[in-house]
Amino acid sequence: MPDTTPPVPPTPPIPLSALLAREDLALRQIAGPPAAGVPIHSAHTSEMSDPYPYILGGELLLTAGVHIPEAAGSGTYFDAYVSRVVEAGGAALGFGLAPVHDTVPRALVAACETYGLPLLEVPPQTTFSGVARAVWQLMAQARLAELRRVTEAQQSLAAAAARPDPVPSVLHRLAQRVGGRAVLYGPEGAEIAAAGRTPDEAALAALTDLVHVLTTRSSTTTATDTVEGTHLAVYALGTGQGFVLGVASPRRDPGDHTIASVAAVLLSLLTGEHQSGTGAARSSALVRLLLGTPPEEVAPLLGATDHWLIVHAAPQAGGAPDPVAASTLSTALGSPLVDTAGDVVRVLLPAGHTPTAPPGWTLGVSAPAGPAALAEADTQASRALSRARATRAPVVHHNPRPTLTDLVPPAEAASHARALLAPLTPPLPETLRTWLSLHGSWDRTAVALSVHRNTVRQRIARCAALLGADLDDPDVRMELWFALRQA
């Protein structure tokens, strides 16, 4: 059935009974249903004989009866007037005594009883502006109380998510907060876990139908319905795996949607990748590495690839990236394997990816490497990042083509490097390597090493003195570069 309830403004309503309880207003209800069940969204004054075009819905309509004709009591004027107020969605009618009328017309009282519209008598000493101000004051108090309730619920749900049994705990807290039932449905629509009071069979069946609607319409993330006084709502969890949160409650307070949305976010995290088989495999890989298992045996747990790229990333603005920035970067690059170390973020990507630098980041990318060569790839990425910083390029890739080092046995190359570079002490080898890689540029080397250009000049001069070599000689530079690549 279509919902024929008139729309109301998006404001926290107050019960009419709260307005009647204000002693300073001295309002008195003289007709209509009990005030406790009547929500008021605003107060509006009108002396129109047909206020229908000016009512949004949910108002306490205030009138002094200026529009009432003299012969209204003997005709159908009041029936027509009250029926139009009700049709427009007016919540209640306030009739002011004096200066036009000394008493509320009996025909108006009878019409309000007939149409079920609460009728209030407003005494002469109470102004309509005073009534309107009281409505807004009570609404502000209601808003504050609702915000406090939502905040407390958020804290309670977050604490539940940290328990050893997080999913049942979150559902239990949510059910308590909404006074109903909370259910987690799996990808096939089956109930995985639930908490709270079980509604009747009709409501449960309707909740299951809503879940089906949500899972079959990819563009829909929430759905609601009401069945025999039970309010139903379902939320698609943001894991992309088909999990759905269902909520059934006997009422729907303004903050309930916010509270349920917080629970949905927490459950999305709890049912996401870290709780899936992939997440469990990565946790297992970490444990095995810590216990001494060789990397080549652990690597298959990380994904369906045997070669990886290592990316070193640094914020262009400088400084150490925070965990949120690192997480955002890993999402942009498409990998959850991320580590923050000092002012650099390291990300492990399956080989075959072509990393591009998100705005505000500078990247250095290694050559593809197997598990046994990841340490070397990490060094490649670090050096590529230094070059990217110095040249102000957004991305620099390590050049994996064969070099002269492939012609010399590794042991002999390493022995030659140790002998040639023995006179140099830290940080001279790294300064020399960076300076050579940047073609002897003082300024770019200073940028790459985050030191002053004069410091670079002093260190290079020291290297030349200790090595007894002419660093302007291309042959000397080539031999030193070969040695530094092996060091």
Side-chain angles (χ1 to χ4, degrees):
M1 293 292 292
D3 187 2
T4 58
T5 304
V8 295
T11 53
I14 61 168
L16 182 59
S17 56
L19 199 62
L20 289 170
R22 289 280 296 256
E23 295 182 358
D24 57 319
L25 299 177
L27 303 178
R28 185 170 68 95
Q29 183 175 357
I30 56 177
V38 178
I40 300 296
H41 289 266
S42 64
H44 175 63
T45 300
S46 174
E47 296 299 341
M48 303 290 293
S49 59
D50 182 11
Y52 183 96
Y54 308 99
I55 296 180
L56 294 175
E59 292 97 338
L60 166 61
L61 182 63
L62 299 169
T63 178
V66 176
H67 58 88
I68 300 175
E70 293 184 3
S74 59
T76 60
Y77 179 84
F78 288 113
D79 275 356
Y81 176 78
V82 172
S83 66
R84 290 289 282 174
V85 172
V86 172
E87 185 180 354
L93 180 64
F95 194 90
L97 301 182
V100 180
H101 298 270
D102 295 331
T103 61
V104 180
R106 293 181 181 179
L108 178 59
V109 175
C112 287
E113 286 287 358
T114 300
Y115 289 96
L117 180 67
L119 176 61
L120 309 185
E121 180 185 84
V122 183
Q125 70 272 18
T126 301
T127 63
F128 287 175
S129 60
V131 174
R133 182 172 60 240
V135 169
W136 288 110
Q137 288 173 345
L138 291 170
M139 290 173 66
Q141 294 172 9
R143 169 62 70 188
L144 180 61
E146 195 64 27
L147 289 175
R148 185 179 295 112
R149 172 175 172 260
V150 170
T151 301
E152 292 174 351
Q154 290 174 336
Q155 294 171 346
S156 176
L157 290 168
R163 291 177 55 87
D165 53 344
V167 171
S169 296
V170 169
L171 292 174
H172 178 69
R173 293 288 176 86
L174 176 59
Q176 283 184 326
R177 292 290 173 174
V178 301
R181 187 168 181 82
V183 185
L184 176 64
Y185 295 91
E188 303 301 325
E191 182 178 306
I192 296 177
R197 295 179 295 178
T198 304
D200 57 37
E201 294 183 3
L204 279 179
L207 191 62
T208 303
D209 291 341
L210 278 184
V211 172
H212 177 71
V213 169
L214 211 61
T215 54
T216 55
R217 299 180 184 176
S218 58
S219 61
T220 304
T221 57
T222 62
T224 61
D225 195 5
T226 302
V227 175
E228 297 180 359
T230 300
H231 299 282
L232 310 175
V234 290
Y235 304 81
L237 303 188
T239 61
Q241 300 177 26
F243 290 95
V244 176
L245 169 64
V247 180
S249 57
R251 63 183 186 278
R252 185 174 292 163
D253 293 333
D256 286 348
H257 174 70
T258 302
I259 294 171
S261 297
V262 171
V265 171
L266 292 172
L267 290 171
S268 295
L269 297 174
L270 295 172
T271 57
E273 184 179 41
H274 291 289
Q275 301 299 318
S276 67
T278 304
R282 288 174 178 154
S283 297
S284 175
L286 176 59
V287 171
R288 294 187 190 187
L289 279 174
L290 291 174
L291 294 178
T293 302
E296 57 269 19
E297 295 182 20
V298 172
L301 296 173
L302 298 178
T305 181
D306 56 358
H307 280 73
W308 300 84
L309 296 176
I310 294 182
V311 178
H312 279 216
Q316 293 175 355
D322 58 41
V324 175
S327 177
T328 302
L329 173 68
S330 70
T331 300
L333 295 179
S335 173
L337 302 175
V338 60
D339 171 59
T340 302
D343 62 345
V344 173
V345 177
R346 300 187 298 179
V347 183
L348 196 62
L349 293 173
H353 281 56
T354 305
T356 57
W361 290 91
T362 300
L363 306 185
V365 185
S366 74
L374 287 177
E376 180 182 352
D378 188 53
T379 302
Q380 294 173 357
S382 176
R383 290 173 177 173
L385 176 61
S386 294
R387 186 169 181 81
R389 281 171 153 172
T391 59
R392 292 179 170 82
V395 182
V396 167
H397 293 260
H398 175 76
N399 187 356
R401 69 178 183 177
T403 63
L404 289 175
T405 58
D406 299 321
L407 304 177
V408 182
E412 294 183 16
S415 176
H416 173 73
R418 285 194 298 270
L420 183 60
L421 302 175
L424 303 183
T425 57
L428 297 181
E430 181 62 19
T431 302
L432 180 58
R433 189 203 66 77
T434 304
W435 182 73
L436 290 174
S437 74
L438 297 171
H439 311 291
S441 170
W442 309 110
D443 292 330
R444 289 183 175 182
T445 303
V447 171
L449 298 176
S450 300
V451 298
H452 195 276
R453 67 192 308 272
N454 289 342
T455 302
V456 176
R457 286 181 175 274
Q458 293 169 4
R459 290 180 183 178
I460 296 301
R462 181 64 174 162
C463 288
L466 291 174
L467 295 172
D470 180 7
L471 297 185
D472 291 329
D473 187 328
D475 291 334
V476 172
R477 289 194 180 193
M478 181 185 70
E479 185 178 11
L480 286 172
W481 180 250
F482 176 85
L484 288 164
R485 288 287 300 270
Q486 311 309 311

